[in-house]
Amino acid sequence: MFKGIDHVSIAVENLEEAVALYVERFGACIKHREFIEKDGVEVATVDIGGMCIELVEGKRSDSPIRKFVEKRGPGIHHIAFEVDDIEAALASLEAASIQLIDKKPRAGKEGSLVAFVHPASTQKILYEIVQKNPTAR
Amino acid sequence: MFKGIDHVSIAVENLEEAVALYVERFGACIKHREFIEKDGVEVATVDIGGMCIELVEGKRSDSPIRKFVEKRGPGIHHIAFEVDDIEAALASLEAASIQLIDKKPRAGKEGSLVAFVHPASTQKILYEIVQKNPTAR
């Protein structure tokens, strides 16, 4: 069902400092940057050897990322699996009694469609499902 | 410096239940299983679309993984970067003032050499560096 890991997402305190660490120390390159208004987050995706790490800073006090960092400190927030067909993937997960946070796909970064799976069904790990280029399929 | 993400490691409460979730619900296949005596952990590596997730259960009360789970609950434990030459990678990281937990590589699973980077230098994220097949280079 899953094509692989699209990215690992890290909730950070300060996006500029995080980007500097990954680019200057780890040799990553910046692949994408975006402010996502509805979630109140600034996102930078960095590429390390063809694999993506998403660095996310909550910019508003109501941002779930800001709340995560305030409660637990910066840390790995979720893992995103890539799928070809997010509607089919969500149907399969529901058929397997996996609880979904998003029963319908919603808009993600870079024009993708995304949905989150409830950690209650995945032994406490937050997973995101991503379909890139949804218009291209 | 880094070739990419070798695996994402998840500290679990019960390895059999974790393997069942990933294999039966997520369509993963088991790539490797090993009990690592010195760390007191049982490890199962599962492959999802060519990407690896390492599921780790602490089997002894002195296991850092057991302590992690008791303190914080099951969760994503670390991200492992693959390198061609772990000695060179550690030297580069030290030259960049990155603090290391393991200044010298040590034996990891499947005959690899591994070293952990101190989260104090990586904005609280635990990173592992992995050189697979060290005799082959």
Side-chain angles (χ1 to χ4, degrees):
Chain A
M1 172 163 54
F2 300 132
K3 291 176 75 177
I5 297 172
D6 179 69
H7 64 265
V8 179
S9 183
I10 296 176
V12 306
E13 280 183 312
N14 181 304
L15 191 64
E16 301 316 320
E17 288 176 13
V19 168
L21 172 70
Y22 287 80
V23 171
E24 292 165 20
R25 305 293 175 93
F26 292 172
C29 57
I30 300 171
K31 199 181 165 202
H32 180 74
R33 259 192 96 134
E34 186 171 338
F35 178 69
I36 302 177
E37 174 64 37
K38 71 180 186 328
D39 298 326
V41 295
E42 179 88 21
V43 180
T45 304
V46 296
D47 181 306
I48 299 185
M51 317 273 292
C52 290
I53 291 180
E54 178 185 86
L55 305 166
V56 191
E57 179 189 341
K59 290 289 193 182
R60 289 197 309 256
S61 58
D62 66 338
S63 157
I65 293 292
R66 173 78 72 88
K67 289 177 185 166
F68 175 95
V69 170
E70 283 172 356
K71 188 175 172 189
R72 305 180 36 157
I76 303 171
H77 187 259
H78 67 266
I79 297 172
F81 290 124
E82 188 184 354
V83 297
D84 280 327
D85 183 339
I86 194 166
E87 297 269 9
L90 293 178
S92 293
L93 289 169
E94 281 212 293
S97 303
I98 301 281
Q99 192 182 337
L100 303 174
I101 292 173
D102 302 300
K103 293 197 172 199
K104 294 281 173 196
R106 59 190 180 82
K109 64 179 183 180
E110 294 182 85
S112 63
L113 285 175
V114 304
F116 281 88
V117 179
H118 202 293
S121 286
T122 56
Q123 299 170 2
K124 307 295 166 66
I125 308 299
L126 181 61
Y127 281 107
E128 182 183 17
I129 311 295
V130 181
Q131 181 187 342
K132 293 171 170 176
N133 309 313
T135 54
R137 72 179 169 97
Chain B
M1 175 163 52
F2 300 132
K3 291 176 75 177
I5 297 172
D6 180 70
H7 64 266
V8 180
S9 184
I10 297 176
V12 306
E13 281 183 313
N14 181 303
L15 190 64
E16 302 316 319
E17 288 175 15
V19 168
L21 171 70
Y22 287 80
V23 171
E24 293 166 19
R25 305 293 174 92
F26 290 173
C29 56
I30 300 172
K31 198 180 166 202
H32 180 74
R33 257 191 99 134
E34 186 172 338
F35 177 69
I36 302 177
E37 174 62 37
K38 69 179 187 327
D39 297 327
V41 295
E42 178 90 20
V43 180
T45 305
V46 297
D47 181 307
I48 299 185
M51 315 274 293
C52 290
I53 291 180
E54 177 185 86
L55 305 166
V56 190
E57 180 189 341
K59 290 291 192 180
R60 288 197 309 258
S61 58
D62 66 339
S63 158
I65 293 293
R66 174 78 71 86
K67 289 176 185 167
F68 175 96
V69 170
E70 282 171 357
K71 187 175 173 189
R72 306 180 36 157
I76 303 171
H77 186 260
H78 67 265
I79 297 172
F81 290 123
E82 188 183 354
V83 296
D84 280 327
D85 183 338
I86 193 166
E87 298 269 9
L90 293 178
S92 292
L93 290 169
E94 281 212 293
S97 303
I98 301 281
Q99 191 182 338
L100 303 174
I101 292 173
D102 302 299
K103 293 198 170 198
K104 293 282 171 194
R106 58 188 181 84
K109 64 178 184 181
E110 294 182 84
S112 64
L113 284 175
V114 304
F116 281 88
V117 181
H118 202 292
S121 287
T122 55
Q123 298 170 2
K124 307 295 166 65
I125 307 301
L126 181 61
Y127 281 106
E128 183 183 17
I129 312 294
V130 181
Q131 181 186 342
K132 294 172 170 175
N133 310 313
T135 55
R137 73 179 168 95

